Amino acid sequence: MFNASMLAPPRVHHDGSELYVSTMVPKIGDEVTLSIRVDHSLAVDEVFVRVIFDGDPHFIRAELQSESDNETWWSAMITQTNHRVNYRFALQSADRTYWFNGLGLHDRDVSDAHDFLLTTYSVPAWVDDAIFYQIFPDRFARSIDHVATSSPEWAIPARWETPVAAETPAGVKQWYGGSLWGIAEHIDYLADLGVNALYLTPFFPANSNHRYDASSFDTVDPFLGGDEALRSLIETAHQAGIRVIGDLTLNHSGNEHPWFVEAQIQPDSPKSDFYLFTSADRQSYVSFADVPSLPKFDHRSGALQKKLYNGPDSVISRYISDFDLDGWRIDVAQAAGRYRETDLSREIAQKTRRTMAEFGTDRLLLAEHQFDASVDLQGDGWHGTMAYAGFTKPIWGWLGKNIERDQWGAPLPSPRLNGTQLAEMMTEFSSLIPWKNLLANMNLLDSHDSSRFRSVSGDFQPLGIALLLTLPGMPMIFSGDEIGIDGLGMEASRKPFLWNEAEWDHDIYDLYRTLIRLRHTHSALRSGGLRWFSTGDDYVIFERANREETLLIEVSRASHDPLVSSVNGSSLLEGADLTAGKLMPELSCGFNMWKVE
């Protein structure tokens, strides 16, 4: 049990949430009030906001707003002069000046890299409430009402119970026969679980089960049910209050795509500049990860841009206008438009976003980015990314037990972290992007591109789930995680869903439902700020707070000396004391959450 009054929170705190920033999406010329809380131990008697307007620093004096036994709140009003404004705080005591930015408190000057960011660019309002569920269409459910009568020419048909042929040539050719019709027939399952957003990996025709080697963007793969099945799925999902986003490669196509075939054999074709050919006979070309079946696009072609993402005739536009798709996840976005001296990545993001904006402000644009995404996430392009670097990797580092090698390309052992390093790593990555975009990041424990978190974490799996559902950002559950599907390795993780409930891990399923319900119930978990209270080797304690409530959360991977003995003036949230329940009875670690009055 923890007593909030006896913990030692950071001596200074500010983040981009509503408690500290009065206007989340200001317009040029709007006045915005910025607030900061300062512990009395610093003996601060003056506070300034240092803000960059038109490239120059300006200092705005803050006024004392309120005072308690332990801390003082200061506020200053700035004017949103530019689309993107960065700011930090200067705190003056009798004998020293402190600087406070997104990384924390400093007793020396620091670079602007980690200053707080305030932008005029919005994100869809529904991201605060979103809980995503990722589906690999071939592996979720076969249709009962639309039974498949044939299989693709490239496919190796498999029974639903057939083991995945991971790390073999057959791995990308196995075809289990899941379809969009099958997903639509199980929308009630997803709604009952509590998810309200669906992320589908590619639904285009291709020559593999992952379909990132698209042979067309003009139609939905008939072996997934075709255009009719996608329309039916989206309509059924919307009726259940579930949004649907698709998955598109702007970095490459498949080598059997008509654009590539034409460009390769007809040098004078209008599509001849769609790809990066490196030999006169066009037999050599740049490809993603040097895989010949994935030729890389050349985005210097204006005609390619119009085909893919720029304007009303693009792929991006068509599936929103014709199917009512709620957004897109862009595959390997960090590489799209980047090749040697050419870097058009930001332009791609901006043009894609403008195309989607023609349909209103509630269409979501996410980027796959497995590394530091901050340079591509400054407000005017991608709304958010799949937060591998700032979320998945630190959690794997703290809770991972079965990681022999780094899974993101480094020829090094996977790093092992303590709880303090987890918090530091998350803080460093989040401090580089606007708060709104942090909330629009898709947080994930695993995906179709990684091992299953269950196999990585072992009996620490419940702790990762607790962090997934309580930290800022949009949680994403990879289909089957909630029932205990495992798998070490990317292809091994892509197992068919288990519809026989006797095979489920019901404790894990109940845990997901409990935490999803808590997130839906408590607004601070969805939109509140984040303040790390205390961290150690085996525990992290943090606060999520907004104007409605303050929640204190503890996640610990092992027993540790008690920090305090009781919770004074607070109430333990019903159903959240998982250490005392059946979910983790054998572990000396756990998850607790309190509502602080």
Side-chain angles (χ1 to χ4, degrees):
M1 296 291 188
F2 289 87
N3 180 343
S5 66
M6 296 177 66
L7 287 172
R11 292 185 293 172
V12 184
H13 187 69
H14 170 90
D15 58 46
S17 68
E18 65 179 17
L19 280 180
Y20 304 93
V21 179
S22 64
T23 305
M24 302 299 292
V25 188
K27 300 180 177 64
I28 296 292
D30 282 356
E31 293 182 333
V32 182
T33 299
L34 305 175
S35 299
I36 187 171
R37 57 201 302 175
V38 182
D39 190 88
H40 289 170
S41 64
L42 289 176
V44 167
D45 50 30
E46 281 188 299
V47 174
F48 293 85
V49 176
R50 196 210 73 169
V51 60
I52 305 298
F53 292 145
D54 301 329
D56 290 324
H58 299 261
F59 288 81
I60 300 171
R61 181 183 296 274
E63 302 295 332
L64 190 153
Q65 295 300 310
S66 64
E67 195 166 9
S68 69
D69 292 341
N70 301 316
E71 65 183 7
T72 301
W73 282 76
W74 301 78
S75 297
M77 184 178 293
I78 70 167
T79 301
Q80 187 78 20
T81 304
N82 306 115
H83 283 295
R84 181 178 178 274
V85 167
N86 63 297
Y87 64 93
R88 67 170 81 160
F89 294 88
L91 296 83
Q92 184 65 50
S93 68
D95 60 350
R96 70 176 60 187
T97 299
Y98 297 97
W99 293 100
F100 183 74
N101 63 5
L103 280 184
L105 189 66
H106 312 271
D107 58 5
R108 56 175 177 80
D109 201 356
V110 291
S111 78
D112 295 351
H114 296 277
D115 280 3
F116 299 103
L117 298 170
L118 187 62
T119 74
T120 61
Y121 308 108
S122 65
V123 300
W126 56 270
V127 304
D128 288 354
D129 301 324
I131 297 179
F132 269 93
Y133 191 87
Q134 182 194 7
I135 290 181
F136 194 84
D138 181 56
R139 308 292 162 87
F140 184 65
R142 290 173 171 171
S143 173
I144 296 173
D145 297 329
H146 298 80
V147 178
T149 58
S150 61
S151 59
E153 291 184 5
W154 52 261
I156 301 172
R159 297 190 306 274
W160 203 251
E161 64 275 12
T162 301
V164 174
E167 310 306 326
T168 75
V172 298
K173 300 297 183 181
Q174 278 181 304
W175 182 76
Y176 286 83
S179 70
L180 301 177
W181 291 119
I183 300 170
E185 291 165 16
H186 289 86
I187 286 294
D188 288 347
Y189 167 81
L190 300 176
D192 185 64
L193 180 61
V195 302
N196 53 22
L198 191 56
Y199 154 40
L200 305 173
T201 57
F203 45 66
F204 302 110
N207 291 287
S208 68
N209 53 39
H210 58 68
R211 293 181 170 82
Y212 287 102
D213 55 339
S215 58
S216 173
F217 296 123
D218 295 334
T219 186
V220 176
D221 191 337
F223 291 101
L224 292 178
D227 290 7
E228 182 184 359
L230 181 61
R231 286 195 179 93
S232 177
L233 169 57
I234 294 174
E235 181 179 353
T236 303
H238 286 174
Q239 290 172 353
I242 298 174
R243 299 175 188 269
V244 182
I245 69 169
D247 195 339
L248 177 65
T249 55
L250 295 185
N251 181 68
H252 57 267
S253 71
N255 64 342
E256 294 191 17
H257 196 291
W259 298 349
F260 181 75
V261 173
E262 181 178 327
Q264 190 173 42
I265 65 176
Q266 298 182 35
D268 57 350
S269 162
K271 299 177 180 63
S272 62
D273 59 353
F274 280 22
Y275 297 88
L276 292 159
F277 293 102
T278 57
S279 65
D281 64 2
R282 300 195 160 224
Q283 296 306 301
S284 298
Y285 49 89
V286 182
S287 60
F288 172 63
D290 295 325
V291 178
S293 61
L294 304 175
K296 185 177 174 71
F297 288 127
D298 185 348
H299 288 273
R300 292 174 297 181
S301 168
L304 173 69
Q305 293 182 22
K306 290 180 180 179
K307 287 279 190 182
L308 274 176
Y309 54 87
N310 188 18
D313 298 324
S314 65
V315 176
I316 287 287
S317 179
R318 183 198 165 209
Y319 285 88
I320 298 176
S321 63
D322 292 1
F323 295 83
D324 201 19
L325 199 65
D326 294 292
W328 289 100
R329 176 262 197 190
I330 304 302
D331 184 55
V332 287
Q334 74 266 6
R338 288 183 169 129
Y339 181 67
R340 296 188 177 177
E341 72 277 5
T342 300
D343 187 347
L344 299 175
S345 184
R346 187 163 185 170
E347 180 180 327
I348 292 169
Q350 291 171 333
K351 289 181 177 179
T352 303
R353 178 138 164 205
R354 284 199 293 269
T355 296
M356 293 172 62
E358 293 298 316
F359 301 94
T361 59
D362 65 344
R363 310 288 173 164
L364 180 65
L365 180 59
L366 292 178
E368 181 198 21
H369 205 309
Q370 295 191 0
F371 314 102
D372 179 3
S374 58
V375 70
D376 296 324
L377 204 60
Q378 295 299 306
D380 57 347
W382 319 120
H383 290 126
T385 67
M386 300 179 77
Y388 286 103
F391 186 87
T392 313
K393 293 179 184 180
I395 289 180
W396 279 35
W398 189 47
L399 298 178
K401 291 184 173 183
N402 304 312
I403 320 173
E404 293 184 1
R405 305 296 294 179
D406 190 289
Q407 295 208 10
W408 283 274
L412 304 166
S414 182
R416 295 293 191 265
L417 306 177
N418 60 40
T420 299
Q421 291 170 318
L422 173 138
E424 290 173 346
M425 191 169 173
M426 288 186 171
T427 298
E428 180 162 359
F429 280 101
S430 66
S431 68
L432 293 166
I433 63 177
W435 178 262
K436 295 189 295 287
N437 300 97
L438 174 67
L439 295 184
N441 273 352
M442 181 183 279
N443 290 342
L444 62 159
L445 297 174
D446 54 22
S447 74
H448 68 295
D449 279 334
S450 74
S451 294
R452 291 275 182 171
F453 183 69
R454 182 182 182 90
S455 295
V456 168
S457 61
D459 53 11
F460 285 164
Q461 183 187 11
L463 305 183
I465 300 168
L467 291 169
L468 177 70
L469 273 301
T470 57
L471 284 168
M474 302 183 299
M476 188 205 80
I477 303 161
F478 180 29
S479 172
D481 280 351
E482 77 279 13
I483 60 172
I485 290 180
D486 59 7
L488 273 176
M490 179 178 68
E491 289 179 1
S493 76
R494 300 172 181 176
K495 294 178 179 177
F497 194 88
L498 301 172
W499 288 107
N500 179 1
E501 293 189 25
E503 300 179 80
W504 292 9
D505 183 332
H506 286 276
D507 288 345
I508 289 297
Y509 178 75
D510 291 342
L511 175 59
Y512 266 106
R513 291 194 68 196
T514 296
L515 292 178
I516 289 171
R517 183 174 69 249
L518 286 176
R519 190 173 178 99
H520 285 316
T521 302
H522 295 281
S523 62
L525 294 179
R526 305 191 302 272
S527 63
L530 172 65
R531 185 161 64 137
W532 296 97
F533 260 65
S534 182
T535 62
D537 286 354
D538 296 314
Y539 70 89
V540 294
I541 303 170
F542 55 94
E543 174 193 86
R544 299 296 312 280
N546 62 9
R547 291 174 183 144
E548 297 178 6
E549 60 181 356
T550 297
L551 305 177
L552 191 65
I553 297 158
E554 176 222 0
V555 177
S556 55
R557 69 181 183 182
S559 60
H560 53 83
D561 292 337
L563 301 184
V564 290
S565 59
S566 64
V567 178
N568 294 338
S570 63
S571 57
L572 187 66
L573 290 176
E574 182 180 357
D577 186 5
L578 303 181
T579 57
K582 67 175 183 178
L583 294 170
M584 300 182 288
E586 75 285 1
L587 299 181
S588 58
C589 57
F591 161 68
N592 288 281
M593 183 162 71
W594 297 271
K595 186 172 183 177
V596 181
E597 303 296 339

